[in-house]
């Protein structure tokens, strides 16, 4: 047999990372036992386990398409007697097709490693199952392997992390890396991972986190876009010294398993040359419901974000296989976005935060996703903020100006009106004003963005929004009703004539979710308690004819401004956008802040 090299390890549930067992293996009704935290399965006679799971199936179709791998072997560490079934799966017309590719009986009196090969097939994924044929059999793990390829190339990763007051997450990430990579010479990643942290909050102490492989830089005033840009400049400066091949944009508040990095390195090391410039993306899973997927890539369609494959329960085999089917994203969020340095990617746009990853992604050539490469992130609905309304609108218009030539002034004004009216109906007049300010600042053009003080402007925007506080009392019955609101008993036409009840008398108080409440919750409502159940904070908004009138006046003025300046602003953004993502621009901007810049000069 040819010399084999590992390409994917069998993953195990880990305390502190993920303990959703059916993401890793499926035990039979009886006869198979696992203690969380231990990397082994103990069997009685006839006990069974399947590994056709999100983390432990093997994406053979994608490996064949994107890499030089054509044949795959399975190495297993066993003690006892087992029947091993090598399995291939297809997913056609919503149906799971399971094929037994090979069956073998393996026996060992002690902990021994055995190897079996998968026959060549057109399967979507490979997997395997075990049945113990003797008492007290033990499975200690294994990995998928391929013949040692002459095409394999070395991969060295730079993790580009921007953080702001997320010390607990950063420490956990670094502890995870220290334990499994930096201090573990046996790890395939040892000596091949460097971490670049930009601390926008300036709260991390150098002695606490900095070492030979962790590089800490502090700055202030440039948001996540500036933090990631500074990290990228430092990485590009050190690229030759550390032979860095790829950079991973990584959020500071994610949870991830080191196996994601291992799989990333193995996959990238065998990529065909046609795909060297592709982004390797990560699926996003819910932090508090770890088996549920938020998205596996996304599409930007004229300002609308369309998540790809949202809401999948990845403990279900059919949904794991459906997740393998490729779609065409055009950007990847920066919770885990692996970018090849060989293509010399331009830096992020200085939009402070929100949509910086979208604009960056739309420049890229292509994207690849694999089951098992994922991170867990706190749900977006747990982090609503008034200030996001400004950035979402301004940055949406910027991205569309650069990358969506069919997005014209009429459509932009329609979208703006819908966004403002939704906030007005919900009595969130401050957020309506922030949306309008975002559209107005877009119309100022690129020269304004070249010179504006992001931090000072950001602080001003914070003051203009709502500030949640701990509520003294709260009617949870009303809050539960607002989560699944029923349509008012009045017909649609009557509600439309009264502009969703704004013109009718109101005498009710409701409790609504702070994140995207339904407008039907506000029909003939006098005041609303906007509640965030994750942080247990709230703010109160009240119906006001005067505020509604002034919002409409400001909307009309913004229409006039867009009518006069929209096309000029679009032309500027489209023709001069490269100025804002150049090294010269960012070096000048970061040096002007007065921070220490020796890391990238």
């Amino acid at each position: 047999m040819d010399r084999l090299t590992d390409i994917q390890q069998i993953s195990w549930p880990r305390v502190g990372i993920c303990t959703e067992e059916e993401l890793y293996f499926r035990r039979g009704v009886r006869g198979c036992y696992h203690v969380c935290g231990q990397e082994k399965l103990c069997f009685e006679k006839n006990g069974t386990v399947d590994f056709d799971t999100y983390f432990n199936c093997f994406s053979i179709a994608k490996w064949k398409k994107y890499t030089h791998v054509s044949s795959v072997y399975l190495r297993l560490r066993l003690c006892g007697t087992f029947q091993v079934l090598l399995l291939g799966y297809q997913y056609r017309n919503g149906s799971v097709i399971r094929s037994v590719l090979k069956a073998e009986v393996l026996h060992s009196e002690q902990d021994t490693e055995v190897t079996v090969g998968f026959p060549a097939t057109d399967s979507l994924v490979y997997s395997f199952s075990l049945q113990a044929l003797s008492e007290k059999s033990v499975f200690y793990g294994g990995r998928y392997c391929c013949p040692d390829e002459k095409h394999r190339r070395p991969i060295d990763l730079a993790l580009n992390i921007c953080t702001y007051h997320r010390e607990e997450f950063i420490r956990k990430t670094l502890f995870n890396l220290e334990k499994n990579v930096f201090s573990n010479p046996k790890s395939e990643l040892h000596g091949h991972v460097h971490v670049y942290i930009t601390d926008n909050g300036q709260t991390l102490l150098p002695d606490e986190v900095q070492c030979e492989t962790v590089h800490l830089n502090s700055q202030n005033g440039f948001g996540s876009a500036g933090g990631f840009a500074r990290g990228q400049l430092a990485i590009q400066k050190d690229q030759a010294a550390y032979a860095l091949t790829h950079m991973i944009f990584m959020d500071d508040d994610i949870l991830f398993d080191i196996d994601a990095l291992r799989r990333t390195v193995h996959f990238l090391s065998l990529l065909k040359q046609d795909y060297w410039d592709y982004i390797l993306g990560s699926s996003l899973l819910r932090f508090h419901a770890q088996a549920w997927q938020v998205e596996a890539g996304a599409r930007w369609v004229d300002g609308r974000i369309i998540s790809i494959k949202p809401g999948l329960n990845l403990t279900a085999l059919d949904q794991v296989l459906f997740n393998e089917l490729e779609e065409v994203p055009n950007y990847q969020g920066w919770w885990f976005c692996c970018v090849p340095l060989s293509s010399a990617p331009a830096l992020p746009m200085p939009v402070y935060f929100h949509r910086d990853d979208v604009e960056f992604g739309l420049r890229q050539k292509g994207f690849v996703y694999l089951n098992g490469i994922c991170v867990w992130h706190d749900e977006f609905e747990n982090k609503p903020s008034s200030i996001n309304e400004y950035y979402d609108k301004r940055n949406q218009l910027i991205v569309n100006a650069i990358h969506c030539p069919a997005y014209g002034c009429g459509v932009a004004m329609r979208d703006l009106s819908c966004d403002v009216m939704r906030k007005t109906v919900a009595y969130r007049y401050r957020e309506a004003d922030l949306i309008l300010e975002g559209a107005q600042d877009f119309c100022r053009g690129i020269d304004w963005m070249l010179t504006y003080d992001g931090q000072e402007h950001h602080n001003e925007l914070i003051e203009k929004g709502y500030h949640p506080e701990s509520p003294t009392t709260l009617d949870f019955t009303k809050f539960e009703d607002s989560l699944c609101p029923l349509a008012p008993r009045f017909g649609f036409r009557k509600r439309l004539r009264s502009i969703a009840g704004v013109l009718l008398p109101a005498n009710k108080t409701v409790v609504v979710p702070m994140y995207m409440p339904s407008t039907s919750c506000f029909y003939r409502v006098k005041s609303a308690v906007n509640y965030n159940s994750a942080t247990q904070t709230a703010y109160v908004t009240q119906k006001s004819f005067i505020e509604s009138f002034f919002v409409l006046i400001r909307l009309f003025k913004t229409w006039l401004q867009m009518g006069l300046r929209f096309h000029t602003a679009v032309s500027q953004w489209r023709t001069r956008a490269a100025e804002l993502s150049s090294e010269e621009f960012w070096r000048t901007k970061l040096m002007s802040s007065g921070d220490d810049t020796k890391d990238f000069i």
Side-chain angles (χ1 to χ4, degrees), residues 415-515:
D415 290 348
L416 175 67
S417 302
C418 291
D419 293 340
V420 169
M421 291 310 299
R422 272 193 289 266
K423 295 298 180 181
T424 304
V425 169
Y427 313 151
R428 297 185 179 182
Y429 308 111
R430 295 185 187 181
E431 292 183 351
D433 285 341
L434 285 168
I435 292 172
L436 292 169
E437 186 173 342
Q440 293 161 7
D441 284 348
F442 163 78
C443 291
R444 293 189 182 192
I446 200 168
D447 289 320
W448 172 76
M449 180 70 78
L450 285 167
T451 58
Y452 95 121
D453 186 325
Q455 183 62 53
E456 182 179 348
H457 187 225
H458 183 75
N459 294 336
E460 292 173 358
L461 293 171
I462 291 175
E463 292 302 314
K464 294 177 181 179
Y466 294 103
H467 303 97
E469 298 177 351
S470 299
T472 54
T473 59
L474 197 69
D475 189 336
F476 283 99
T477 302
K478 291 182 178 180
F479 179 67
E480 291 171 358
D481 290 342
S482 71
L483 297 177
C484 299
L486 298 175
R489 53 195 177 94
F490 298 101
F492 171 77
R493 292 183 180 178
K494 191 169 184 178
R495 284 186 283 135
L496 184 62
R497 286 197 300 269
S498 61
I499 315 179
V502 171
L503 301 180
L504 296 176
N507 54 14
K508 295 188 296 184
T509 298
V510 295
V511 182
V512 298
M514 198 178 294
Y515 181 78

Side-chain angles (χ1 to χ4, degrees), residues 278-522:
Y278 274 43
I279 300 287
L280 180 60
S282 156
S283 295
L284 181 66
L285 276 58
R286 296 177 71 89
F287 191 86
H288 295 99
Q290 290 189 299
W292 292 86
Q293 182 167 275
V294 177
E295 70 177 42
R299 290 195 59 78
W300 177 266
V301 183
D302 292 347
R304 290 187 302 119
I305 295 176
I306 301 175
S307 295
I308 293 176
K309 296 188 173 71
L312 296 188
N313 178 1
L314 296 176
T315 61
L317 175 59
D318 62 330
Q319 300 198 32
V320 170
L321 296 177
F322 175 68
N323 209 39
E324 282 287 341
L325 303 180
E326 289 198 89
E327 297 189 34
V328 187
N330 58 17
Y331 88 93
Q332 163 65 32
W334 280 351
W335 41 82
F336 186 107
C337 177
C338 186
V339 182
L341 291 170
S342 58
S343 59
L347 283 88
M349 295 276 287
V351 294
Y352 205 84
F353 76 148
H354 274 229
R355 311 297 188 245
D356 42 0
D357 53 357
V358 175
E359 197 283 325
F360 186 91
L362 291 175
R363 306 180 212 153
Q364 308 307 318
K365 182 177 180 181
F367 301 83
V368 185
Y369 295 84
L370 292 176
N371 275 338
I373 297 181
C374 70
V375 300
W376 292 270
H377 191 281
D378 194 13
E379 292 75 8
F380 294 118
E381 57 264 33
N382 292 343
K383 301 189 292 183
S385 174
S386 293
I387 201 171
N388 293 346
E389 305 297 339
Y390 168 85
Y391 289 109
D392 285 348
K393 176 52 63 179
R394 188 200 67 183
N395 297 344
Q396 173 204 30
L397 293 171
I398 291 173
V399 174
N400 285 348
I402 298 170
H403 296 284
C404 305
Y407 191 80
C409 182
V411 180
M413 292 171 70
R414 181 202 65 191
D415 290 348
L416 175 67
S417 302
C418 291
D419 293 340
V420 169
M421 291 310 299
R422 272 193 289 266
K423 295 298 180 181
T424 304
V425 169
Y427 313 151
R428 297 185 179 182
Y429 308 111
R430 295 185 187 181
E431 292 183 351
D433 285 341
L434 285 168
I435 292 172
L436 292 169
E437 186 173 342
Q440 293 161 7
D441 284 348
F442 163 78
C443 291
R444 293 189 182 192
I446 200 168
D447 289 320
W448 172 76
M449 180 70 78
L450 285 167
T451 58
Y452 95 121
D453 186 325
Q455 183 62 53
E456 182 179 348
H457 187 225
H458 183 75
N459 294 336
E460 292 173 358
L461 293 171
I462 291 175
E463 292 302 314
K464 294 177 181 179
Y466 294 103
H467 303 97
E469 298 177 351
S470 299
T472 54
T473 59
L474 197 69
D475 189 336
F476 283 99
T477 302
K478 291 182 178 180
F479 179 67
E480 291 171 358
D481 290 342
S482 71
L483 297 177
C484 299
L486 298 175
R489 53 195 177 94
F490 298 101
F492 171 77
R493 292 183 180 178
K494 191 169 184 178
R495 284 186 283 135
L496 184 62
R497 286 197 300 269
S498 61
I499 315 179
V502 171
L503 301 180
L504 296 176
N507 54 14
K508 295 188 296 184
T509 298
V510 295
V511 182
V512 298
M514 198 178 294
Y515 181 78
M516 296 180 66
S518 170
T519 54
S520 64
C521 295
F522 298 90

Side-chain angles (χ1 to χ4, degrees), residues 96-262:
V96 176
I97 301 172
R98 179 180 186 263
S99 303
V100 177
L101 306 178
K102 183 185 287 187
E104 288 197 20
V105 175
L106 304 175
H107 174 74
S108 174
E109 296 292 340
Q110 56 187 358
D111 178 2
T112 304
E113 193 171 81
V114 294
T115 303
V116 290
F118 284 89
T121 69
D122 62 349
S123 299
L124 182 65
V125 303
Y126 284 159
S127 178
F128 67 100
S129 69
L130 300 174
Q131 180 180 12
L133 302 181
S134 62
E135 296 287 351
K136 298 182 180 180
S137 297
V138 183
F139 171 63
Y140 294 99
R143 54 245 196 235
Y144 295 93
C145 310
C146 72
D148 198 6
E149 289 281 350
K150 63 180 181 180
H151 303 286
R152 182 180 287 272
R153 58 188 181 130
I155 300 295
D156 287 83
L157 302 177
L159 308 187
N160 185 3
I161 302 175
C162 172
T163 185
Y164 182 76
H165 295 311
R166 300 281 187 177
E167 296 87 355
E168 181 181 350
F169 279 96
I170 292 295
R171 292 185 186 110
K172 186 168 186 177
T173 295
L174 294 180
F175 175 80
N176 196 9
L177 289 166
E178 176 66 29
K179 177 183 177 182
N180 295 287
V181 179
F182 302 150
S183 298
N184 182 11
K186 295 182 180 180
S187 170
E188 313 97 300
L189 300 174
H190 183 73
H192 298 286
V193 177
H194 282 257
V195 182
Y196 291 79
I197 301 172
T198 303
D199 180 16
N200 279 339
Q202 302 183 10
T203 53
L204 290 171
L205 301 177
D207 293 342
E208 183 180 22
V209 298
Q210 195 158 330
C211 63
E212 183 181 352
T213 50
V214 180
H215 314 271
L216 175 65
N217 304 294
S218 296
Q219 70 178 24
N220 187 31
F222 304 104
S224 62
F228 283 120
R230 179 164 183 161
Q232 183 173 338
L233 285 167
I235 289 167
Q236 290 173 342
K237 173 181 176 291
D238 290 346
Q239 183 177 350
Y242 299 129
L244 301 173
T245 59
H246 291 76
M247 164 181 59
I248 300 180
F249 288 92
M250 183 178 285
D251 272 350
D252 57 347
D253 56 350
I254 61 167
L255 183 66
F256 75 100
D257 196 318
I258 292 298
D259 277 353
L261 293 181
R262 293 193 189 102

